[in-house]
């Protein structure tokens, strides 16, 4: 009897939670929080606005760029500086513009996610230390020899540059709520992380020439008090600001909000874990139809979103692009008739007579060329309309229609992420590398694509670059690879090179393990 009571309480709690986390509540919460993001961005309108993937991407209609700082890299006793996610484009952009905003959010009732309170502060500190090391090396010369070669004016410039390197702020700037014990533990690891960055082959020299002031994080949330008549000019600071904007309210209490038409519950960090609630809706698709969705209200929201997602799917399908049917698991409630907000909207409606809005689809994703290697990485969606490639290696699960004159210039190797299959990538890499070798040896340009252009395709490019190119980035068909024992450090250096060009690269640890397993055991005929 006691077990039945516990089970009933559990079911009731789950039902209440499902009601609170409805699709309308999530989207309305995001919409309201975006107003705050817009207001903060106008305090320094010259600074670019970046979204921290994936949650942050929901909180504003238009971002300058994206970045990827993981909260897990900032978790207590799991602090990390990950060279697979260097985000150097963020530092370069901040250097060019004088700073930048990064937008993210959190569900946990905290003011800031760990990505902002620790991961990004660690990142700025390690980059600052590496830049200072580079500046010191550049000026670590015999002054007596220098005096013989330069004028007094040049010598004065040299002294100024040396002062910059000495005074370059390399302190660890953490928010006040981080304990001294945790701060000390992080500081103990900074030297090791700086060494990892220096050894990774990252282009610190370009970063040092771009940044005139050291990087430093600032934190702004909905609880931050800002006196509008005292907002300083970002140029007046003696550092390059990385302004971290936590979009959502940090209260842990369920807030019931009421408008003239609807009543709804506010969800902090609603943009997180989009697979569990978004029903196929993407951030771009949401903002293209935001007012229609919000104005539809709680009772019609599910159907409105279903219609928008299906229209977008039809739009892509009519153009031969990747357009899988979205399948939504039905929501289990005690009685669907009692809870109309949770009724499942069918996605199999007949849309043959509906006018398709061409603005409903995501903007065309550009491909990223990896320097002068004739290799590019991108999405399978962009591959359908691309014209400046000779060959396509499609790693998506679905095949695509391509415009290539030679049928042998297209190879489809269906691959899935490591969470679904721990050997999918490993089993397909030999065929992928052989296809690349055959075409690159003829001077052909190859696009490697997957569903999102961020993980599987990046890992395939990493295997190709390491197997078929020397350490100077020159194609040699595998000669240097056959004479070299590949280490994790060397593989990491190649990955850093890829991330320099493909700034949205987000290879998973499981897929990188498969690449290293392939590189450690495979050798290819260089003849």
């Amino acid at each position: 009897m006691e077990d039945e009571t516990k089970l009933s309480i559990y079911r009731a709690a789950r039902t209440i939670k499902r009601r609170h986390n409805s699709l309308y509540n999530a989207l309305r919460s995001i919409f309201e929080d975006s107003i705050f993001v817009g207001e903060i961005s106008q305090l320094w309108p010259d600074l670019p606005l970046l979204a921290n993937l994936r949650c942050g991407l929901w909180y504003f209609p238009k971002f300058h760029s994206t970045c990827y700082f993981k909260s897990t890299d900032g978790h207590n006793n799991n602090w990390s500086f990950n060279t697979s996610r260097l985000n150097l484009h963020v530092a370069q952009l901040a250097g060019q513009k004088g700073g930048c905003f990064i937008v993210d959010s959190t569900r946990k009732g905290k003011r800031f996610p760990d990505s902002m309170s620790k991961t990004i502060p660690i990142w700025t500190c390690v980059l600052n230390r590496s830049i200072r090391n580079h500046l010191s090396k550049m000026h670590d010369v015999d002054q007596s020899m220098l005096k013989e070669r330069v004028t007094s004016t040049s010598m004065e410039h040299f002294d100024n540059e040396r002062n910059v390197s000495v005074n370059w702020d390399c302190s660890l700037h953490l928010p006040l709520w981080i304990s001294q014990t945790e701060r000390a533990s992080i500081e103990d690891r900074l030297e090791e992380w700086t060494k990892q960055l220096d050894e990774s082959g990252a282009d610190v020299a370009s970063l040092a020439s771009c940044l005139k002031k050291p990087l430093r994080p600032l934190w702004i949330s909905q609880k931050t008090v800002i006196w509008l008549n005292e907002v300083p000019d970002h140029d007046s600071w003696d550092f390059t600001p990385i302004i971290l904007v936590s979009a959502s309210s940090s209260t842990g209490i369920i807030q019931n909000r009421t408008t003239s038409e609807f009543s709804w519950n506010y969800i902090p960090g609603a943009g997180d874990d989009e697979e569990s609630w978004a029903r196929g809706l993407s951030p771009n698709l949401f903002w293209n139809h935001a007012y229609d969705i919000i104005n539809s209200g709680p009772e019609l929201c599910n159907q409105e979103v279903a219609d928008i997602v299906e229209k977008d799917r039809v739009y892509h399908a009519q153009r031969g692009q990747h357009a899988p049917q979205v399948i939504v698991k039905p929501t289990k409630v005690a009685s669907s008739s009692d809870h109309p907000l949770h009724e499942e909207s069918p996605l199999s409606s007949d849309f043959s007579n509906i006018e398709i809005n061409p603005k409903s689809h995501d903007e065309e994703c550009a491909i990223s060329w990896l320097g002068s290697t004739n290799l590019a990485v991108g999405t399978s969606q962009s591959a359908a309309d691309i014209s400046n490639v000779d060959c396509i290696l499609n790693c998506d699960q679905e095949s695509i229609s391509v415009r290539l004159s030679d049928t042998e210039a297209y190879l489809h190797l269906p691959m899935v992420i490591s969470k679904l299959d721990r050997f999918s990538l490993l089993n397909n890499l030999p065929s992928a590398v052989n296809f690349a070798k055959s075409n690159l040896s003829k001077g052909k340009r190859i696009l490697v694509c997957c569903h999102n252009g961020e993980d599987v395709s990046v890992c395939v490019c990493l295997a190709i670059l390491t197997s078929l190119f020397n350490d100077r980035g020159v194609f040699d068909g595998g000669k240097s690879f056959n004479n070299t024992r590949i280490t994790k450090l060397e593989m990491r250096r190649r990955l850093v090179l890829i991330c320099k060009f493909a700034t949205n690269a987000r290879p998973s640890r499981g897929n990188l393990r498969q690449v290293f397993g392939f590189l450690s055991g495979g050798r290819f005929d260089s003849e």
Side-chain angles (χ1 to χ4, degrees):
M1 185 66 180
E2 184 179 352
D3 291 340
E4 292 181 2
T5 303
K6 289 181 179 179
L7 189 59
S8 299
I9 294 174
Y10 173 77
R11 286 177 176 172
R14 294 289 295 175
T15 300
I16 292 171
K17 184 177 180 180
R18 280 195 291 267
R19 293 179 191 173
H20 171 60
N21 292 337
S22 71
L23 180 62
Y24 183 81
N25 286 343
L27 296 176
R28 184 62 186 263
S29 301
I30 289 169
F31 185 81
E32 296 292 326
D33 289 335
S34 72
I35 299 173
F36 167 72
V37 173
E39 290 173 347
I40 296 300
S41 68
Q42 288 307 304
L43 296 178
W44 295 279
D46 295 335
L47 299 185
L49 194 66
L50 281 71
N52 192 29
L53 296 174
R54 293 176 304 163
C55 181
L57 199 56
W58 285 91
Y59 285 91
F60 205 65
K62 190 70 174 179
F63 286 96
H64 182 281
S65 183
T66 62
C67 54
Y68 188 43
F69 294 97
K70 290 190 70 173
S71 286
T72 51
D73 290 337
H75 286 176
N76 201 357
N77 294 321
N78 192 48
W79 312 285
S80 175
F81 178 85
N82 200 313
T83 52
S84 300
R85 297 181 287 273
L86 281 179
N87 292 290
L88 294 186
H89 66 290
V90 178
Q92 291 172 339
L93 183 62
Q96 294 166 2
K97 302 294 186 179
C100 70
F101 294 96
I102 297 179
V103 177
D104 203 351
S105 185
T106 181
R107 280 181 179 270
K108 299 180 180 179
K110 299 184 295 186
R111 290 178 64 183
F112 293 88
D114 285 339
S115 61
M116 288 184 163
S117 60
K118 284 174 283 188
T119 304
I120 294 178
I122 289 171
W123 173 80
T124 58
C125 182
V126 172
L127 259 58
N128 283 335
R129 289 166 63 97
S130 185
I131 290 171
R132 185 187 61 180
N133 291 346
H134 172 78
L135 293 174
S136 298
K137 288 178 183 177
M138 292 297 293
H139 298 290
D140 189 17
V141 295
D142 188 343
Q143 291 190 42
S144 60
M145 292 179 60
L146 185 66
K147 289 178 180 178
E148 296 176 1
R149 299 180 182 178
V150 299
T151 64
S152 59
T153 303
S154 299
M155 194 65 206
E156 182 180 351
H157 174 73
F158 171 83
D159 291 336
N160 291 336
E161 289 295 314
R162 179 177 289 276
N163 288 334
V164 169
S165 65
V166 171
N167 298 325
W168 195 266
D169 182 15
C170 294
S171 304
L172 176 64
H173 295 280
L174 292 171
L176 296 176
W177 57 85
I178 303 300
S179 69
Q180 290 301 317
T181 302
E182 189 169 4
R183 171 188 288 272
S185 297
I186 293 173
E187 288 177 335
D188 289 342
R189 292 164 171 78
L190 289 174
E191 185 175 350
E192 174 191 347
W193 292 331
T194 305
K195 183 179 179 181
Q196 288 178 4
L197 175 59
D198 292 339
E199 293 177 346
S200 70
D203 191 0
V204 178
S206 296
L207 204 56
S209 63
C210 180
L211 280 167
K212 305 306 179 186
K213 304 174 185 177
L215 299 166
R216 182 169 175 175
L218 299 175
W219 295 268
I220 295 180
S221 73
Q222 292 198 27
K223 286 189 175 181
T224 303
V225 177
I226 299 175
W227 299 100
L228 296 181
N229 60 339
E230 297 180 5
V231 175
D233 189 334
H234 64 82
D235 289 333
S236 66
W237 291 322
D238 58 358
F239 55 85
T240 302
I242 306 295
I243 303 173
L244 308 177
V245 182
S246 184
S248 297
S249 173
S250 59
T251 178
I253 303 172
I254 294 178
Q255 301 178 45
N256 185 271
R257 302 188 181 184
T258 304
T259 65
S260 58
E261 298 179 67
F262 312 120
S263 177
W264 56 283
N265 290 322
Y266 174 76
I267 305 174
D272 193 23
D273 192 23
E274 60 194 46
E275 289 87 358
S276 66
W277 61 268
R279 298 173 178 241
L281 194 68
S282 67
N284 192 64
L285 204 54
F286 167 63
W287 284 109
N288 284 340
H289 302 273
Y291 292 103
D292 291 336
I293 293 173
I294 297 303
N295 292 333
S296 67
E299 294 189 11
L300 300 178
C301 178
N302 287 8
Q303 184 63 56
E304 181 73 20
V305 169
D307 291 351
I308 290 170
V309 170
E310 180 63 9
K311 288 180 186 178
D312 185 65
R313 188 192 72 81
V314 172
Y315 177 88
H316 288 302
Q318 289 177 342
R319 286 152 182 78
Q321 299 172 354
H322 179 64
Q325 180 77 40
V326 177
I327 300 175
V328 180
K329 294 173 67 175
T331 306
K332 296 179 181 179
V333 293
S335 173
S336 60
S337 59
D338 295 334
H339 309 292
L341 305 189
H342 294 274
E343 289 181 359
E344 193 58 41
S345 302
L347 295 179
S348 57
S349 305
D350 182 9
F351 288 90
S352 58
N353 296 321
I354 295 179
E355 182 179 354
I356 305 299
N357 180 5
K359 294 183 180 180
S360 65
H361 70 290
D362 289 348
E363 295 178 2
E364 181 180 353
C365 299
I367 65 173
S368 301
W369 287 98
L370 307 183
S372 56
T373 61
N374 277 348
L375 265 179
V377 62
T379 65
S380 50
Q381 178 181 325
S382 64
D385 299 319
I386 208 72
S387 59
N388 60 337
V389 299
D390 304 309
C391 311
I392 293 177
L393 173 55
N394 178 20
C395 306
D396 200 346
Q397 289 182 268
E398 304 290 334
S399 185
I400 54 176
S401 301
V402 294
R403 303 171 184 174
L404 297 172
S405 56
D406 185 0
T407 56
E408 295 184 359
Y410 174 75
L411 177 63
H412 181 210
L413 296 174
M415 305 184 202
V416 295
I417 59 176
S418 58
K419 288 183 178 180
L420 300 178
D421 186 340
R422 290 186 299 147
F423 304 103
S424 176
L425 193 66
L426 182 63
N427 292 336
N428 283 286
L429 281 177
S431 299
V433 172
N434 286 329
F435 175 79
K437 178 181 178 181
S438 173
N439 288 284
L440 289 171
S441 62
K442 301 172 185 175
K444 293 184 177 182
R445 297 161 297 178
I446 301 178
L447 170 64
V448 181
C449 61
C450 66
H451 174 62
N452 57 19
E454 299 172 355
D455 187 0
V456 173
S457 55
V458 169
C459 289
V460 172
C461 282
L462 176 60
I464 293 172
L465 273 180
T466 309
S467 301
L468 303 177
F469 290 77
N470 62 25
D471 56 7
R472 298 184 305 278
V474 177
F475 176 80
D476 66 3
K479 292 181 180 179
S480 59
F481 175 71
N482 284 330
N483 296 322
T484 305
R485 180 179 177 272
I486 298 299
T487 63
K488 288 185 178 180
L489 175 60
E490 180 59 31
M491 190 181 82
R492 191 180 299 123
R493 290 172 64 91
R494 302 296 177 102
L495 179 58
V496 168
L497 176 66
I498 292 175
C499 294
K500 176 181 178 181
F501 299 102
T503 57
N504 65 329
R506 297 191 292 158
S508 64
R509 184 176 300 177
N511 283 342
L512 289 175
R513 281 201 193 101
Q514 294 181 66
V515 174
F516 183 69
F518 165 75
L519 296 174
S520 301
R523 289 294 182 268
F524 298 91
D525 184 9
S526 60
E527 297 300 326

